[in-house]
Amino acid sequence: MATKKKPAAKKPVAKKAAAKKAVAKKASAKKAVAAKGDLAKGPRAGSKSAMLLDLLSGKGSTVEKMCEALDWQAHTLRAALTRLPNGAKVDRTREDGVTSYKLA
């Protein structure tokens, strides 16, 4: 008895095309998010980042005052100071055991 050959499997062309479309869609979504981020000039109004920048502007503020105003612990405040929006820099001063920060 002769055996029948199985028909050759078709290449999954539709799956490849769908995968390419998905990759292209993700890339365009990333570009849109990046463009949206470029439009943002600072933290959202009323956010804790905005409140922190307000406290730091002018004469600056002590760690205790900022922690109380933001309802944060000291280590959380110091971490937030390392990643201020728009690359803002702070100056630290320490007088009589009290640490203060202000925008540079």
Side-chain angles (χ1 to χ4, degrees):
M1 300 215 156
T3 59
K4 288 187 176 180
K5 288 187 178 180
K6 293 183 181 179
K10 293 184 180 179
K11 292 183 181 180
V13 176
K15 287 183 182 180
K16 285 185 180 180
K20 285 182 182 180
K21 286 181 184 179
V23 170
K25 189 175 183 180
K26 285 182 185 179
S28 65
K30 285 182 182 180
K31 287 179 185 177
V33 169
K36 188 176 182 181
D38 292 341
L39 296 177
K41 297 294 180 188
R44 188 178 61 237
S47 68
K48 287 194 176 185
S49 294
M51 291 170 48
L52 179 60
L53 287 174
D54 288 341
L55 290 169
L56 292 170
S57 62
K59 290 184 177 181
S61 185
T62 64
V63 171
E64 291 80 18
K65 288 180 183 177
M66 288 187 282
C67 287
E68 185 178 321
L70 297 168
D71 194 30
W72 283 347
Q73 293 183 3
H75 66 277
T76 307
L77 173 70
R78 287 189 296 271
L81 290 172
T82 65
R83 58 178 182 272
L84 289 172
N86 297 331
K89 302 290 182 192
V90 293
D91 286 331
R92 183 183 83 137
T93 57
R94 187 172 174 102
E95 295 178 13
D96 300 325
V98 178
T99 304
S100 299
Y101 292 94
K102 69 176 186 174
L103 288 176

